[in-house]
Amino acid sequence: MMKLWKRASGALKDRKSLFSISFSRRTSFRNPDLDSAIIHATSHDDSSVDYHNAHRVYKWIRSSPANLKPLVHSLSSRVNRTRSWIVALKALMLVHGVLCCKVPSLQEIRRLPFDLSDFSDGHSRPSKTWGFNALIRAYFSFLDQYSFYLSDQIRSRNRKPQVDSVNQELESIEKLQSLLHTLLQIRPMADNMKKTLILEAMDCVVIEIFDIYGRICSGIAKLLIKISPSAGKAEAVMALKIVKKATSQGEDLALYFEFCKKFGVSNAHEVPKFVRIPQENIEAMEKAIKGVEEKEEAQEEEVVEEKSIVLAERPEFQTIITDKWEVFEDDYCFTCKDVKETDQPRNYNVDPSLLPLIVIDEPVYLTHTLPDLITF
């Protein structure tokens, strides 16, 4: 009885919202047709997702940059007023689909226009909704970070094209690994969350994981080939850190997909084969970095020895006789602390024969079709 009452109450709220926008005028910030599509796509019905109206929203975004402001205004107003986990989750799924459009106008959004980092459902007791609240907060955290990342990517492409340096590619992979870490926090943890809407949202999350982890593996494979003898020690250390994290995240992914399979997420049953970075490759990179450090130490020792030899051969240094002991000029002119580093810059050259090559059993190409909510 209570469930029927909640559905009736939610349907009434949706109708009220649709009725109010029927009197709205079209302006640069308002589009009544777009508002209507957003309300339908983010309804209070937890048994289904209105894909038809979701696709209408995507079509508007792709058709003209002028539709971005009405979208932001309508969606933020809808989210800021709601206390329903159903409406909040559908809004996040809609935003996810909008970000997947990757149109140039999205660079204007940067961060999401609303805040669900502290969301709490207001229609049921916390003991029943804590799992939904946690999932929405985690999903929002990822999309907020992802929106900022995409905005930067679009801005970079709009600038004058240039070849990325090794350091830039390393930073790009690190950002993707950060996104993947945030994605893996999105999971249904309560027993009462096996609902159609939750499964639809998790399908979107799993597909996003496929894409981002695949890009990480491809980026690492290309990066290790590019690391040349001219690569600096800092870059080699950073690359090793990224490779180790990718290996660790691969293990986390295996556990995550196993959890999703048991929960009933359909896309988790079709896990593609990812690139596995062999342990010997990691050890080879560590050996290369160690070799650079040993070479650096040897060069520093040679500099100290050369200075000592030169000083010993100079005839102008004489012994000074005192009442108690003999002191040589070089004793108080040069100590270990007084030895200065050479002014010449040091090059950290890595022997390319020591660098690993990733063995890829299969190319990292994603052949999966995205869920209807985020494709066209």
Side-chain angles (χ1 to χ4, degrees):
M1 187 67 181
M2 180 64 70
K3 188 176 292 186
L4 291 175
W5 182 85
K6 286 183 178 180
R7 287 189 177 182
S9 176
L12 185 61
K13 290 179 180 179
D14 293 335
R15 289 181 182 178
K16 183 180 178 181
S17 298
L18 291 169
F19 180 75
S20 64
I21 65 172
S22 63
F23 298 98
S24 302
R25 294 182 178 180
R26 185 185 293 268
T27 65
S28 60
F29 287 92
R30 295 297 298 270
N31 181 339
D33 293 332
L34 181 58
D35 292 345
S36 175
I38 289 174
I39 292 173
H40 280 102
T42 60
S43 68
H44 288 76
D45 183 7
D46 68 340
S47 63
S48 64
V49 178
D50 191 337
Y51 294 112
H52 172 70
N53 280 287
H55 281 282
R56 289 178 63 199
V57 174
Y58 306 148
K59 186 176 180 180
W60 265 304
I61 293 302
R62 295 165 63 194
S63 63
S64 172
N67 292 320
L68 183 63
K69 288 183 179 179
L71 168 74
V72 170
H73 178 271
S74 179
L75 197 55
S76 59
S77 298
R78 178 78 167 164
V79 172
N80 289 332
R81 289 198 306 266
T82 191
R83 296 293 304 279
S84 167
W85 71 264
I86 301 170
V87 175
L89 183 56
K90 285 187 175 182
L92 291 174
M93 295 170 70
L94 189 65
V95 169
H96 197 171
V98 169
L99 294 178
C100 286
C101 294
K102 298 180 182 179
V103 294
S105 58
L106 290 177
Q107 65 179 309
E108 300 176 12
I109 294 182
R110 305 291 281 178
R111 297 293 187 183
L112 294 189
F114 51 81
D115 186 7
L116 291 176
S117 60
D118 196 30
F119 176 82
S120 180
D121 185 89
H123 301 290
S124 299
R125 294 192 299 271
S127 60
K128 291 186 176 182
T129 59
W130 69 268
F132 300 98
N133 297 338
L135 181 113
I136 288 170
R137 293 172 186 176
Y139 201 0
F140 166 79
S141 178
F142 162 70
L143 290 176
D144 190 47
Q145 185 179 345
Y146 189 44
S147 175
F148 189 82
Y149 170 80
L150 285 179
S151 178
D152 279 348
Q153 292 292 103
I154 294 173
R155 288 169 183 260
S156 298
R157 286 198 296 266
N158 290 340
R159 301 193 191 103
K160 184 178 180 180
Q162 55 183 3
V163 179
D164 291 340
S165 65
V166 173
N167 192 57
Q168 287 174 322
E169 293 186 11
L170 286 168
E171 290 177 355
S172 178
I173 296 174
E174 275 195 324
K175 290 177 182 178
L176 289 173
Q177 288 181 325
S178 177
L179 286 172
L180 181 60
H181 173 76
T182 310
L183 264 175
L184 294 179
Q185 311 310 307
I186 307 172
R187 63 176 68 198
M189 295 180 288
D191 295 333
N192 63 337
M193 297 181 69
K194 286 194 175 182
K195 299 179 180 292
T196 301
L197 181 57
I198 298 296
L199 293 173
E200 294 282 353
M202 290 304 298
D203 271 335
C204 297
V205 171
V206 167
I207 289 297
E208 193 67 64
I209 288 175
F210 289 163
D211 179 56
I212 289 180
Y213 190 66
R215 289 158 64 188
I216 290 172
C217 292
S218 297
I220 290 175
K222 295 175 182 177
L223 180 67
L224 293 182
I225 295 174
K226 285 185 177 181
I227 293 181
S228 63
S230 61
K233 175 185 172 184
E235 291 177 346
V237 171
M238 190 175 178
L240 178 62
K241 178 183 175 183
I242 287 174
V243 169
K244 286 186 174 181
K245 187 169 184 178
T247 303
S248 174
Q249 286 187 327
E251 297 171 357
D252 294 339
L253 277 175
L255 297 175
Y256 186 85
F257 286 130
E258 189 62 31
F259 168 82
C260 290
K261 286 179 184 178
K262 292 179 179 179
F263 189 80
V265 180
S266 59
N267 283 330
H269 291 272
E270 301 178 0
V271 181
K273 291 184 179 180
F274 292 117
V275 174
R276 295 287 183 179
I277 304 173
Q279 182 63 30
E280 53 266 25
N281 287 350
I282 299 177
E283 293 174 356
M285 184 172 287
E286 290 175 337
K287 185 177 179 181
I289 295 173
K290 185 178 180 180
V292 172
E293 292 175 346
E294 292 176 351
K295 186 176 180 180
E296 173 188 339
E297 292 175 359
Q299 289 176 344
E300 290 179 350
E301 290 176 359
E302 289 177 2
V303 171
V304 174
E305 290 178 359
E306 288 176 359
K307 288 186 176 181
S308 301
I309 293 172
V310 170
L311 292 175
E313 292 177 349
R314 291 179 63 183
E316 59 266 24
F317 289 111
Q318 300 177 355
T319 303
I320 300 175
I321 307 298
T322 66
D323 295 334
K324 297 181 179 180
W325 59 75
E326 295 181 355
V327 178
F328 294 88
E329 286 188 14
D330 55 342
D331 284 338
Y332 47 33
C333 288
F334 298 92
T335 64
C336 293
K337 294 182 180 180
D338 293 327
V339 177
K340 297 182 180 179
E341 295 183 356
T342 177
D343 294 332
Q344 298 297 323
R346 290 172 293 176
N347 294 323
Y348 301 102
N349 294 325
V350 180
D351 184 357
S353 64
L354 298 178
L355 292 174
L357 291 178
I358 289 185
V359 180
I360 306 175
D361 295 331
E362 297 181 9
V364 184
Y365 297 121
L366 296 178
T367 59
H368 295 272
T369 303
L370 295 177
D372 290 340
L373 188 60
I374 59 174
T375 58
F376 314 97

